Amino acid sequence: MNRIRDAREIRGIPIAELARRTEIDESHLGKALRGKRDLKADELVRLCYALELKDLVALIPKETLKRLATLNRRGPDGTAKRQGRIRPARWRDGR
C-alpha cells in the first residue's frame, strides 16, 4: 500500500478524486491506503491503472487480469456492464 499511497501523493490526486476514478467508496479507499482494510483484486488493479503503476499490474498473473476483465464486462444477468475499465492487453502488449 505504501507505493500506491506514495504514487497518489506524488501525483497530487486527492482521495476523493481517486475514489471517483476507481469507483471505490472513498471511506474504504482511505482505510485501505492507511492499512486498515484489505483491497479486493479488482480494486487493486483499478488503483494501479488510475495511478499508472504499470510495474505493479505486471506482477498480477495474466489469467487473473483476464478473469477480472470478464467479470467487469458482464453483470449477474449476463448483460454488458462497465466495459473497457480493465484493459490488460494495452499495457502488457505495449499498445
Side-chain angles (χ1 to χ4, degrees):
M1 276 298 114
N2 288 339
R3 287 195 59 196
I4 291 175
R5 185 178 59 235
D6 293 345
R8 182 191 69 80
E9 291 173 356
I10 288 170
R11 288 165 177 75
I13 302 172
I15 290 179
E17 173 62 18
L18 188 57
R20 187 192 63 77
R21 289 183 190 180
T22 59
E23 298 179 5
I24 300 172
D25 182 74
E26 188 177 339
S27 66
H28 290 291
L29 180 58
K31 288 176 186 175
L33 294 176
R34 290 189 307 272
K36 304 284 185 192
R37 176 187 178 270
D38 291 333
L39 287 172
K40 297 177 192 172
D42 67 318
E43 292 172 333
L44 178 60
V45 171
R46 286 184 278 166
L47 278 171
C48 290
Y49 279 119
L51 294 170
E52 300 176 3
L53 298 172
K54 296 176 185 181
D55 56 332
L56 289 181
V57 172
L59 297 176
I60 299 170
K62 199 178 252 187
E63 296 78 29
T64 302
L65 289 173
K66 286 179 183 177
R67 184 177 57 78
L68 291 172
T70 301
L71 290 175
N72 281 328
R73 280 192 223 113
R74 293 187 182 22
D77 58 354
T79 58
K81 196 174 190 182
R82 295 192 282 189
Q83 285 187 322
R85 193 168 73 193
I86 295 178
R87 300 174 301 272
R90 182 176 138 220
W91 284 11
R92 291 207 178 257
D93 298 338
R95 286 184 239 151

Coordinates of all heavy atoms in Angstrom, one line a residue:
M1 N 0.8 -1.2 0.0 CA 0.0 0.0 0.0 C 0.9 1.3 0.0 O 0.4 2.3 -0.4 CB -0.9 0.0 1.2 CG -2.2 -0.8 1.1 SD -3.2 -0.1 -0.2 CE -3.2 -1.4 -1.3
N2 N 2.1 1.2 0.5 CA 2.9 2.4 0.6 C 3.2 2.9 -0.8 O 3.2 4.1 -1.0 CB 4.2 2.1 1.3 CG 4.0 1.9 2.7 OD1 3.1 2.3 3.3 ND2 5.0 1.2 3.4
R3 N 3.4 2.0 -1.8 CA 3.7 2.5 -3.2 C 2.5 3.2 -3.8 O 2.6 4.2 -4.5 CB 4.1 1.4 -4.1 CG 5.5 0.9 -3.7 CD 6.1 0.0 -4.8 NE 6.2 0.7 -6.0 CZ 6.4 0.1 -7.2 NH1 6.5 -1.2 -7.2 NH2 6.4 0.7 -8.3
I4 N 1.3 2.7 -3.5 CA 0.1 3.3 -4.0 C -0.2 4.6 -3.3 O -0.5 5.6 -4.0 CB -1.1 2.3 -3.8 CG1 -0.9 1.1 -4.8 CG2 -2.4 3.0 -4.1 CD1 -2.0 0.1 -4.6
R5 N 0.0 4.6 -2.0 CA -0.2 5.9 -1.3 C 0.8 7.0 -1.8 O 0.5 8.1 -2.0 CB -0.1 5.7 0.2 CG -0.4 6.9 1.0 CD -0.3 6.7 2.5 NE 1.0 6.2 2.9 CZ 1.3 5.1 3.6 NH1 0.3 4.3 4.0 NH2 2.5 4.7 3.9
D6 N 2.1 6.5 -1.9 CA 3.1 7.5 -2.4 C 2.8 8.0 -3.8 O 3.0 9.2 -4.1 CB 4.5 6.8 -2.3 CG 5.0 6.5 -0.9 OD1 4.4 7.1 0.1 OD2 5.9 5.7 -0.7
A7 N 2.4 7.1 -4.7 CA 2.1 7.5 -6.0 C 0.9 8.5 -6.0 O 1.0 9.5 -6.8 CB 1.7 6.3 -6.9
R8 N -0.1 8.3 -5.2 CA -1.2 9.2 -5.1 C -0.7 10.6 -4.7 O -1.1 11.6 -5.2 CB -2.3 8.7 -4.2 CG -3.5 9.6 -4.1 CD -4.4 9.2 -3.0 NE -3.9 9.5 -1.7 CZ -3.8 10.6 -1.0 NH1 -4.3 11.7 -1.6 NH2 -3.3 10.8 0.2
E9 N 0.1 10.6 -3.6 CA 0.6 11.9 -3.1 C 1.5 12.6 -4.1 O 1.5 13.8 -4.2 CB 1.3 11.6 -1.8 CG 0.4 11.2 -0.7 CD 1.1 10.8 0.6 OE1 2.3 10.7 0.7 OE2 0.4 10.4 1.6
I10 N 2.4 11.9 -4.8 CA 3.3 12.5 -5.7 C 2.5 13.1 -6.9 O 2.8 14.2 -7.3 CB 4.3 11.4 -6.3 CG1 5.3 11.1 -5.2 CG2 5.0 11.9 -7.6 CD1 6.2 9.9 -5.5
R11 N 1.5 12.4 -7.3 CA 0.7 13.0 -8.4 C -0.3 14.0 -7.9 O -1.0 14.7 -8.8 CB -0.1 11.8 -9.1 CG 0.8 10.9 -9.9 CD 0.2 9.6 -10.3 NE 1.0 8.8 -11.1 CZ 2.0 8.1 -10.7 NH1 2.4 8.1 -9.4 NH2 2.7 7.3 -11.5
G12 N -0.4 14.2 -6.6 CA -1.3 15.2 -6.1 C -2.8 14.9 -6.3 O -3.6 15.9 -6.4
I13 N -3.2 13.7 -6.3 CA -4.6 13.3 -6.5 C -5.2 13.1 -5.2 O -4.8 12.3 -4.4 CB -4.6 12.0 -7.3 CG1 -3.9 12.1 -8.7 CG2 -6.1 11.6 -7.5 CD1 -3.8 10.8 -9.4
P14 N -6.2 13.9 -4.9 CA -7.0 13.7 -3.6 C -7.7 12.4 -3.6 O -8.0 11.8 -4.6 CB -8.0 14.9 -3.6 CG -7.6 15.8 -4.7 CD -6.8 15.0 -5.7
I15 N -7.9 11.9 -2.4 CA -8.5 10.6 -2.2 C -9.9 10.6 -2.9 O -10.3 9.6 -3.5 CB -8.6 10.2 -0.7 CG1 -7.2 9.8 -0.2 CG2 -9.6 9.0 -0.5 CD1 -7.2 9.4 1.2
A16 N -10.6 11.7 -2.7 CA -12.0 11.8 -3.3 C -11.9 11.6 -4.9 O -12.8 10.9 -5.4 CB -12.6 13.1 -3.0
E17 N -10.9 12.2 -5.5 CA -10.8 12.1 -7.0 C -10.4 10.6 -7.3 O -10.9 10.1 -8.3 CB -9.8 13.1 -7.5 CG -9.4 12.9 -8.9 CD -10.6 13.1 -9.9 OE1 -11.6 13.7 -9.5 OE2 -10.5 12.7 -11.0
L18 N -9.5 10.0 -6.6 CA -9.0 8.7 -6.9 C -10.2 7.7 -6.7 O -10.4 6.8 -7.4 CB -7.9 8.3 -6.0 CG -7.2 7.0 -6.2 CD1 -6.7 6.9 -7.7 CD2 -6.0 6.7 -5.3
A19 N -11.0 7.9 -5.6 CA -12.2 7.1 -5.4 C -13.2 7.2 -6.6 O -13.7 6.2 -7.0 CB -12.9 7.5 -4.1
R20 N -13.3 8.4 -7.1 CA -14.2 8.6 -8.3 C -13.7 7.9 -9.5 O -14.4 7.2 -10.2 CB -14.4 10.1 -8.6 CG -15.4 10.4 -9.7 CD -15.3 11.8 -10.2 NE -14.1 12.1 -10.8 CZ -13.7 11.7 -12.0 NH1 -14.5 11.0 -12.8 NH2 -12.6 12.1 -12.6
R21 N -12.4 8.0 -9.7 CA -11.8 7.4 -10.9 C -11.9 5.8 -10.8 O -12.0 5.2 -11.9 CB -10.3 7.7 -11.0 CG -10.1 9.2 -11.4 CD -8.6 9.4 -11.6 NE -8.3 10.8 -11.7 CZ -7.0 11.2 -11.9 NH1 -6.0 10.4 -11.9 NH2 -6.8 12.5 -12.0
T22 N -11.7 5.3 -9.7 CA -11.7 3.8 -9.5 C -13.0 3.2 -9.1 O -13.1 2.0 -9.0 CB -10.6 3.4 -8.4 OG1 -11.0 4.1 -7.2 CG2 -9.2 3.9 -8.8
E23 N -14.0 4.0 -8.8 CA -15.3 3.6 -8.4 C -15.2 2.8 -7.1 O -15.9 1.8 -6.9 CB -16.0 2.8 -9.5 CG -16.3 3.6 -10.7 CD -16.9 2.8 -11.8 OE1 -17.3 1.6 -11.6 OE2 -17.1 3.3 -12.9
I24 N -14.3 3.2 -6.2 CA -14.2 2.6 -4.9 C -14.7 3.6 -3.9 O -14.4 4.8 -4.0 CB -12.7 2.2 -4.6 CG1 -12.2 1.2 -5.6 CG2 -12.6 1.7 -3.2 CD1 -10.7 1.0 -5.5
D25 N -15.5 3.2 -2.9 CA -16.0 4.1 -1.9 C -14.9 4.8 -1.2 O -13.9 4.2 -0.9 CB -16.8 3.2 -0.9 CG -17.4 4.1 0.2 OD1 -18.4 4.8 -0.1 OD2 -16.9 4.2 1.3
E26 N -15.1 6.1 -1.1 CA -14.0 7.0 -0.6 C -13.5 6.5 0.8 O -12.3 6.5 1.1 CB -14.5 8.4 -0.5 CG -13.4 9.4 -0.2 CD -13.9 10.8 -0.2 OE1 -14.9 11.1 -0.9 OE2 -13.2 11.7 0.4
S27 N -14.4 6.2 1.7 CA -14.0 5.8 3.1 C -13.3 4.4 3.0 O -12.3 4.3 3.8 CB -15.2 5.7 4.0 OG -16.1 4.6 3.6
H28 N -13.7 3.5 2.2 CA -13.0 2.2 2.0 C -11.6 2.4 1.5 O -10.6 1.8 1.9 CB -13.8 1.3 1.1 CG -15.0 0.8 1.8 ND1 -15.0 -0.1 2.9 CD2 -16.3 1.0 1.5 CE1 -16.3 -0.3 3.2 NE2 -17.1 0.3 2.4
L29 N -11.5 3.3 0.5 CA -10.2 3.6 -0.1 C -9.3 4.2 0.9 O -8.1 3.8 1.0 CB -10.4 4.5 -1.3 CG -9.1 4.9 -2.1 CD1 -8.3 3.7 -2.6 CD2 -9.4 5.9 -3.2
G30 N -9.8 5.2 1.7 CA -8.9 5.8 2.7 C -8.4 4.8 3.7 O -7.3 4.8 4.1
K31 N -9.3 3.9 4.1 CA -8.9 2.9 5.1 C -7.9 1.9 4.5 O -6.9 1.5 5.2 CB -10.1 2.1 5.5 CG -11.1 2.8 6.4 CD -12.3 2.0 6.8 CE -13.3 2.9 7.6 NZ -14.6 2.2 7.8
A32 N -8.0 1.6 3.2 CA -7.1 0.7 2.5 C -5.7 1.4 2.4 O -4.7 0.7 2.7 CB -7.6 0.3 1.2
L33 N -5.7 2.7 2.1 CA -4.4 3.4 2.0 C -3.7 3.5 3.3 O -2.5 3.6 3.4 CB -4.6 4.7 1.3 CG -5.1 4.7 -0.1 CD1 -5.4 6.1 -0.7 CD2 -4.1 4.0 -1.0
R34 N -4.5 3.5 4.4 CA -3.9 3.6 5.8 C -3.6 2.2 6.3 O -3.1 2.1 7.4 CB -4.8 4.3 6.7 CG -4.9 5.8 6.4 CD -5.7 6.5 7.5 NE -7.0 6.0 7.8 CZ -8.1 6.3 7.1 NH1 -8.1 7.2 6.2 NH2 -9.3 5.8 7.5
G35 N -3.9 1.1 5.6 CA -3.7 -0.2 6.0 C -4.7 -0.8 7.0 O -4.5 -1.8 7.6
K36 N -5.9 -0.2 7.0 CA -6.9 -0.6 7.9 C -7.9 -1.6 7.3 O -8.8 -2.1 7.9 CB -7.7 0.6 8.5 CG -6.8 1.6 9.2 CD -6.4 1.2 10.5 CE -5.7 2.3 11.2 NZ -5.0 1.8 12.4
R37 N -7.8 -1.7 6.0 CA -8.7 -2.5 5.2 C -8.0 -3.2 4.0 O -7.1 -2.5 3.4 CB -9.9 -1.7 4.7 CG -10.8 -2.4 3.8 CD -11.9 -1.4 3.2 NE -12.8 -2.1 2.3 CZ -12.6 -2.2 1.0 NH1 -11.5 -1.7 0.4 NH2 -13.4 -2.9 0.2
D38 N -8.3 -4.4 3.7 CA -7.7 -5.0 2.5 C -8.5 -4.7 1.3 O -9.6 -4.4 1.3 CB -7.7 -6.6 2.7 CG -6.8 -7.1 3.8 OD1 -5.8 -6.4 4.0 OD2 -7.1 -8.1 4.3
L39 N -7.7 -4.7 0.2 CA -8.4 -4.4 -1.1 C -8.7 -5.7 -1.8 O -7.9 -6.7 -1.7 CB -7.4 -3.6 -2.0 CG -7.2 -2.1 -1.7 CD1 -6.1 -1.5 -2.5 CD2 -8.5 -1.3 -1.9
K40 N -9.7 -5.7 -2.6 CA -10.0 -6.8 -3.5 C -9.1 -6.8 -4.7 O -8.6 -5.7 -5.0 CB -11.5 -6.8 -3.9 CG -12.5 -6.9 -2.8 CD -13.9 -6.8 -3.4 CE -14.9 -6.6 -2.3 NZ -16.2 -6.3 -2.8
A41 N -8.9 -7.9 -5.4 CA -8.0 -7.9 -6.5 C -8.4 -6.9 -7.6 O -7.6 -6.1 -8.1 CB -7.9 -9.3 -7.1
D42 N -9.7 -6.8 -7.9 CA -10.1 -5.8 -8.9 C -9.9 -4.4 -8.5 O -9.6 -3.5 -9.3 CB -11.6 -6.1 -9.3 CG -12.6 -5.8 -8.3 OD1 -12.4 -6.1 -7.1 OD2 -13.7 -5.2 -8.6
E43 N -10.1 -4.1 -7.2 CA -9.8 -2.8 -6.7 C -8.4 -2.4 -6.8 O -8.0 -1.3 -7.2 CB -10.3 -2.7 -5.2 CG -11.8 -2.8 -5.0 CD -12.2 -2.9 -3.5 OE1 -11.3 -3.3 -2.7 OE2 -13.3 -2.5 -3.2
L44 N -7.5 -3.3 -6.5 CA -6.1 -3.1 -6.7 C -5.7 -2.8 -8.1 O -4.9 -1.9 -8.4 CB -5.3 -4.3 -6.1 CG -3.8 -4.2 -6.2 CD1 -3.2 -3.0 -5.5 CD2 -3.1 -5.5 -5.8
V45 N -6.3 -3.6 -9.0 CA -6.0 -3.4 -10.4 C -6.5 -2.0 -10.9 O -5.8 -1.3 -11.6 CB -6.6 -4.5 -11.3 CG1 -6.5 -4.2 -12.8 CG2 -5.9 -5.8 -11.0
R46 N -7.7 -1.6 -10.5 CA -8.2 -0.3 -10.8 C -7.3 0.8 -10.3 O -7.1 1.8 -10.9 CB -9.6 -0.1 -10.3 CG -10.6 -1.0 -11.2 CD -12.0 -0.7 -10.7 NE -12.3 -1.6 -9.6 CZ -13.3 -1.4 -8.7 NH1 -14.2 -0.5 -8.9 NH2 -13.5 -2.3 -7.7
L47 N -6.8 0.7 -9.1 CA -5.9 1.7 -8.5 C -4.6 1.8 -9.3 O -4.1 2.9 -9.6 CB -5.6 1.3 -7.0 CG -6.6 1.7 -6.0 CD1 -6.3 1.1 -4.6 CD2 -6.7 3.3 -5.9
C48 N -4.1 0.6 -9.7 CA -2.8 0.6 -10.4 C -3.0 1.3 -11.8 O -2.2 2.1 -12.2 CB -2.3 -0.8 -10.7 SG -1.7 -1.6 -9.2
Y49 N -4.2 1.1 -12.4 CA -4.4 1.7 -13.7 C -4.7 3.2 -13.5 O -4.1 4.1 -14.3 CB -5.7 1.1 -14.4 CG -5.4 -0.1 -15.1 CD1 -6.0 -1.3 -14.8 CD2 -4.5 -0.1 -16.2 CE1 -5.7 -2.5 -15.5 CE2 -4.2 -1.3 -16.9 CZ -4.8 -2.5 -16.5 OH -4.6 -3.6 -17.2
A50 N -5.4 3.6 -12.5 CA -5.7 5.0 -12.2 C -4.4 5.8 -11.9 O -4.3 7.0 -12.3 CB -6.7 5.2 -11.1
L51 N -3.5 5.1 -11.2 CA -2.2 5.8 -10.9 C -1.1 5.5 -11.8 O 0.1 5.9 -11.6 CB -1.8 5.4 -9.4 CG -2.8 5.8 -8.4 CD1 -2.4 5.2 -7.0 CD2 -2.7 7.4 -8.2
E52 N -1.4 4.8 -12.9 CA -0.4 4.5 -14.0 C 0.8 3.7 -13.4 O 2.0 4.0 -13.7 CB 0.0 5.7 -14.7 CG -1.1 6.4 -15.4 CD -0.7 7.7 -16.1 OE1 0.5 8.0 -16.1 OE2 -1.6 8.3 -16.6
L53 N 0.5 2.7 -12.5 CA 1.6 1.9 -11.9 C 1.7 0.6 -12.7 O 1.3 -0.5 -12.3 CB 1.3 1.6 -10.5 CG 1.2 2.9 -9.6 CD1 0.7 2.5 -8.2 CD2 2.6 3.5 -9.5
K54 N 2.3 0.7 -13.9 CA 2.3 -0.4 -14.8 C 3.1 -1.6 -14.2 O 2.8 -2.7 -14.5 CB 2.9 0.0 -16.2 CG 2.1 1.0 -16.9 CD 2.8 1.5 -18.1 CE 2.0 2.6 -18.8 NZ 2.6 3.0 -20.0
D55 N 4.2 -1.3 -13.5 CA 5.0 -2.3 -12.9 C 4.3 -3.2 -11.9 O 4.5 -4.4 -11.8 CB 6.3 -1.8 -12.3 CG 6.0 -0.7 -11.2 OD1 5.0 0.0 -11.3 OD2 6.9 -0.5 -10.3
L56 N 3.3 -2.6 -11.2 CA 2.5 -3.4 -10.2 C 1.5 -4.3 -11.0 O 1.3 -5.4 -10.6 CB 1.8 -2.5 -9.2 CG 2.7 -1.8 -8.2 CD1 1.8 -1.0 -7.2 CD2 3.5 -2.8 -7.4
V57 N 0.9 -3.8 -12.1 CA 0.0 -4.5 -12.8 C 0.7 -5.7 -13.5 O 0.2 -6.8 -13.6 CB -0.7 -3.7 -13.9 CG1 -1.5 -4.5 -14.8 CG2 -1.6 -2.6 -13.3
A58 N 2.0 -5.5 -13.9 CA 2.7 -6.6 -14.5 C 3.0 -7.8 -13.5 O 3.2 -8.9 -14.0 CB 4.1 -6.1 -15.0
L59 N 2.9 -7.6 -12.2 CA 3.0 -8.6 -11.2 C 1.8 -9.5 -11.1 O 1.9 -10.6 -10.6 CB 3.4 -8.0 -9.9 CG 4.7 -7.3 -9.8 CD1 4.9 -6.7 -8.4 CD2 5.9 -8.2 -10.1
I60 N 0.7 -9.0 -11.6 CA -0.6 -9.8 -11.5 C -0.6 -10.8 -12.6 O -0.4 -10.4 -13.8 CB -1.8 -8.8 -11.5 CG1 -1.7 -7.9 -10.3 CG2 -3.1 -9.6 -11.5 CD1 -2.7 -6.7 -10.4
P61 N -0.8 -12.1 -12.3 CA -0.9 -13.1 -13.4 C -1.9 -12.7 -14.5 O -3.0 -12.2 -14.2 CB -1.3 -14.4 -12.6 CG -1.0 -14.1 -11.2 CD -1.1 -12.6 -11.0
K62 N -1.5 -13.0 -15.7 CA -2.3 -12.7 -16.8 C -3.7 -13.3 -16.7 O -4.7 -12.7 -17.1 CB -1.6 -13.2 -18.1 CG -2.1 -12.6 -19.4 CD -1.3 -13.1 -20.6 CE -0.4 -12.0 -21.1 NZ 0.3 -12.4 -22.3
E63 N -3.8 -14.6 -16.2 CA -5.1 -15.2 -16.1 C -6.0 -14.5 -15.1 O -7.2 -14.4 -15.4 CB -4.9 -16.7 -15.5 CG -4.1 -17.6 -16.4 CD -2.6 -17.3 -16.4 OE1 -2.1 -16.9 -15.3 OE2 -1.9 -17.5 -17.4
T64 N -5.4 -13.9 -14.1 CA -6.2 -13.1 -13.1 C -6.8 -11.9 -13.8 O -7.9 -11.5 -13.6 CB -5.4 -12.7 -11.9 OG1 -4.9 -13.9 -11.3 CG2 -6.2 -12.0 -10.9
L65 N -5.9 -11.2 -14.6 CA -6.4 -10.0 -15.3 C -7.5 -10.3 -16.3 O -8.5 -9.6 -16.4 CB -5.2 -9.3 -16.0 CG -4.2 -8.6 -15.1 CD1 -3.0 -8.2 -15.9 CD2 -4.8 -7.5 -14.4
K66 N -7.4 -11.4 -17.0 CA -8.4 -11.8 -17.9 C -9.7 -12.1 -17.2 O -10.8 -11.7 -17.7 CB -7.9 -13.1 -18.7 CG -6.9 -12.8 -19.8 CD -6.5 -14.0 -20.5 CE -5.4 -13.8 -21.5 NZ -4.9 -15.0 -22.1
R67 N -9.6 -12.8 -16.1 CA -10.8 -13.1 -15.3 C -11.5 -11.9 -14.8 O -12.7 -11.7 -14.9 CB -10.5 -14.1 -14.1 CG -11.7 -14.5 -13.4 CD -11.3 -15.5 -12.2 NE -10.4 -14.9 -11.3 CZ -10.7 -14.0 -10.3 NH1 -11.9 -13.6 -10.2 NH2 -9.7 -13.6 -9.5
L68 N -10.7 -10.9 -14.3 CA -11.2 -9.7 -13.8 C -11.9 -8.9 -14.9 O -12.9 -8.3 -14.8 CB -10.2 -8.9 -13.1 CG -9.7 -9.4 -11.8 CD1 -8.5 -8.6 -11.3 CD2 -10.7 -9.4 -10.7
A69 N -11.3 -8.9 -16.1 CA -11.8 -8.1 -17.2 C -13.1 -8.8 -17.6 O -14.1 -8.0 -18.0 CB -10.8 -8.2 -18.4
T70 N -13.3 -10.1 -17.6 CA -14.5 -10.7 -18.0 C -15.6 -10.4 -16.9 O -16.7 -10.1 -17.3 CB -14.3 -12.3 -18.0 OG1 -13.3 -12.5 -19.0 CG2 -15.6 -13.0 -18.4
L71 N -15.2 -10.4 -15.7 CA -16.2 -10.1 -14.6 C -16.7 -8.7 -14.8 O -17.9 -8.4 -14.5 CB -15.6 -10.3 -13.2 CG -15.3 -11.8 -12.8 CD1 -14.6 -11.8 -11.5 CD2 -16.6 -12.6 -12.7
N72 N -15.9 -7.8 -15.2 CA -16.3 -6.4 -15.3 C -17.1 -6.1 -16.5 O -17.7 -5.1 -16.6 CB -15.0 -5.5 -15.3 CG -14.5 -5.3 -13.9 OD1 -15.3 -5.3 -12.9 ND2 -13.2 -5.1 -13.7
R73 N -17.1 -7.0 -17.5 CA -17.9 -6.8 -18.7 C -19.3 -7.4 -18.5 O -20.2 -7.0 -19.3 CB -17.2 -7.4 -19.9 CG -16.1 -6.6 -20.4 CD -15.7 -7.0 -21.7 NE -14.2 -7.0 -21.7 CZ -13.4 -8.0 -21.8 NH1 -13.8 -9.2 -21.9 NH2 -12.1 -7.8 -21.7
R74 N -19.6 -8.3 -17.6 CA -20.9 -8.9 -17.5 C -21.5 -8.8 -16.1 O -20.8 -9.0 -15.1 CB -20.8 -10.4 -17.9 CG -20.4 -10.6 -19.3 CD -20.4 -12.0 -19.7 NE -20.1 -12.4 -21.0 CZ -19.4 -11.8 -21.9 NH1 -18.9 -10.7 -21.6 NH2 -19.1 -12.3 -23.0
G75 N -22.7 -8.4 -16.1 CA -23.4 -8.3 -14.8 C -23.9 -9.7 -14.4 O -23.7 -10.6 -15.2
P76 N -24.6 -9.8 -13.3 CA -25.1 -11.1 -12.9 C -26.1 -11.8 -13.9 O -26.2 -13.0 -14.0 CB -25.8 -10.8 -11.6 CG -25.4 -9.4 -11.2 CD -24.9 -8.8 -12.4
D77 N -26.8 -10.9 -14.6 CA -27.7 -11.5 -15.6 C -27.1 -11.7 -17.0 O -27.7 -12.0 -17.9 CB -28.9 -10.5 -15.8 CG -28.5 -9.1 -16.2 OD1 -27.3 -8.8 -16.2 OD2 -29.4 -8.3 -16.4
G78 N -25.8 -11.5 -17.1 CA -25.0 -11.7 -18.3 C -25.0 -10.5 -19.3 O -24.4 -10.5 -20.3
T79 N -25.6 -9.4 -18.9 CA -25.6 -8.2 -19.8 C -24.3 -7.4 -19.6 O -23.7 -7.5 -18.6 CB -26.8 -7.3 -19.4 OG1 -26.7 -6.9 -18.1 CG2 -28.1 -8.0 -19.7
A80 N -24.0 -6.7 -20.6 CA -22.7 -5.9 -20.6 C -22.8 -4.9 -19.5 O -23.8 -4.3 -19.2 CB -22.5 -5.2 -22.0
K81 N -21.6 -4.7 -18.9 CA -21.6 -3.8 -17.7 C -20.1 -3.3 -17.6 O -19.2 -4.0 -17.6 CB -22.0 -4.5 -16.5 CG -22.3 -3.7 -15.3 CD -22.8 -4.5 -14.2 CE -23.4 -3.7 -13.1 NZ -23.9 -4.5 -12.0
R82 N -20.0 -2.0 -17.5 CA -18.7 -1.3 -17.2 C -17.6 -1.8 -18.2 O -16.5 -2.1 -17.8 CB -18.2 -1.5 -15.8 CG -19.1 -0.9 -14.8 CD -18.5 -0.9 -13.4 NE -18.6 -2.2 -12.8 CZ -18.3 -2.5 -11.6 NH1 -17.9 -1.6 -10.8 NH2 -18.5 -3.7 -11.1
Q83 N -17.9 -1.9 -19.5 CA -16.9 -2.3 -20.4 C -15.7 -1.4 -20.5 O -15.8 -0.2 -20.4 CB -17.5 -2.5 -21.8 CG -18.4 -3.7 -21.9 CD -18.8 -4.0 -23.3 OE1 -19.1 -3.0 -24.0 NE2 -18.9 -5.2 -23.6
G84 N -14.5 -2.0 -20.7 CA -13.3 -1.2 -21.0 C -12.6 -0.7 -19.8 O -11.6 0.1 -20.0
R85 N -13.1 -1.0 -18.6 CA -12.4 -0.4 -17.5 C -11.1 -1.0 -17.2 O -10.1 -0.4 -16.8 CB -13.3 -0.5 -16.2 CG -12.8 0.4 -15.1 CD -13.7 0.5 -14.0 NE -13.8 -0.7 -13.3 CZ -14.7 -1.1 -12.5 NH1 -15.7 -0.2 -12.2 NH2 -14.7 -2.2 -11.8
I86 N -11.0 -2.3 -17.4 CA -9.7 -3.0 -17.2 C -9.2 -3.5 -18.6 O -9.9 -4.2 -19.2 CB -9.9 -4.2 -16.2 CG1 -10.2 -3.7 -14.8 CG2 -8.6 -5.0 -16.2 CD1 -10.5 -4.8 -13.8
R87 N -8.0 -3.0 -19.0 CA -7.5 -3.3 -20.3 C -6.1 -3.9 -20.2 O -5.1 -3.2 -20.5 CB -7.5 -2.0 -21.1 CG -8.9 -1.4 -21.3 CD -8.8 -0.1 -22.0 NE -7.9 0.9 -21.4 CZ -8.4 1.7 -20.4 NH1 -9.6 1.7 -20.1 NH2 -7.6 2.6 -19.9
P88 N -6.0 -5.1 -19.7 CA -4.7 -5.7 -19.5 C -3.8 -5.8 -20.8 O -2.6 -5.6 -20.8 CB -4.9 -7.1 -19.0 CG -6.3 -7.4 -19.3 CD -7.0 -6.1 -19.4
A89 N -4.5 -6.0 -22.0 CA -3.7 -6.2 -23.2 C -3.0 -4.9 -23.6 O -1.9 -4.9 -24.1 CB -4.6 -6.6 -24.3
R90 N -3.6 -3.7 -23.3 CA -3.0 -2.5 -23.6 C -1.6 -2.3 -23.0 O -0.7 -1.8 -23.6 CB -3.9 -1.3 -23.2 CG -3.4 0.0 -23.5 CD -4.4 1.1 -23.2 NE -3.7 2.2 -22.6 CZ -4.1 2.9 -21.6 NH1 -5.2 2.7 -21.0 NH2 -3.4 3.9 -21.1
W91 N -1.5 -2.7 -21.7 CA -0.3 -2.5 -21.0 C 0.7 -3.6 -21.2 O 1.9 -3.5 -21.3 CB -0.5 -2.3 -19.5 CG -1.0 -0.9 -19.2 CD1 -1.5 0.0 -20.1 CD2 -1.1 -0.4 -17.9 NE1 -1.9 1.1 -19.5 CE2 -1.7 0.9 -18.1 CE3 -0.9 -0.8 -16.6 CZ2 -1.9 1.8 -17.1 CZ3 -1.1 0.0 -15.6 CH2 -1.7 1.3 -15.8
R92 N 0.2 -4.8 -21.3 CA 1.1 -6.0 -21.4 C 1.7 -6.1 -22.8 O 2.8 -6.5 -23.0 CB 0.3 -7.3 -21.1 CG -0.1 -7.4 -19.7 CD -0.2 -8.8 -19.3 NE -0.5 -8.9 -17.9 CZ 0.4 -9.2 -17.0 NH1 1.6 -9.4 -17.3 NH2 0.1 -9.3 -15.7
D93 N 0.9 -5.7 -23.9 CA 1.4 -5.7 -25.2 C 2.0 -4.4 -25.7 O 2.4 -4.3 -26.9 CB 0.3 -6.2 -26.2 CG -0.2 -7.6 -25.8 OD1 0.5 -8.3 -25.2 OD2 -1.4 -7.9 -26.2
G94 N 2.0 -3.4 -24.9 CA 2.6 -2.1 -25.3 C 1.7 -1.3 -26.2 O 2.2 -0.4 -26.8
R95 N 0.4 -1.7 -26.4 CA -0.4 -0.9 -27.2 C -1.0 0.3 -26.6 O -1.1 0.5 -25.4 CB -1.6 -1.7 -27.7 CG -1.2 -2.7 -28.7 CD -2.5 -3.5 -29.2 NE -2.2 -4.9 -28.9 CZ -3.1 -5.8 -28.6 NH1 -4.4 -5.4 -28.6 NH2 -2.8 -7.0 -28.4

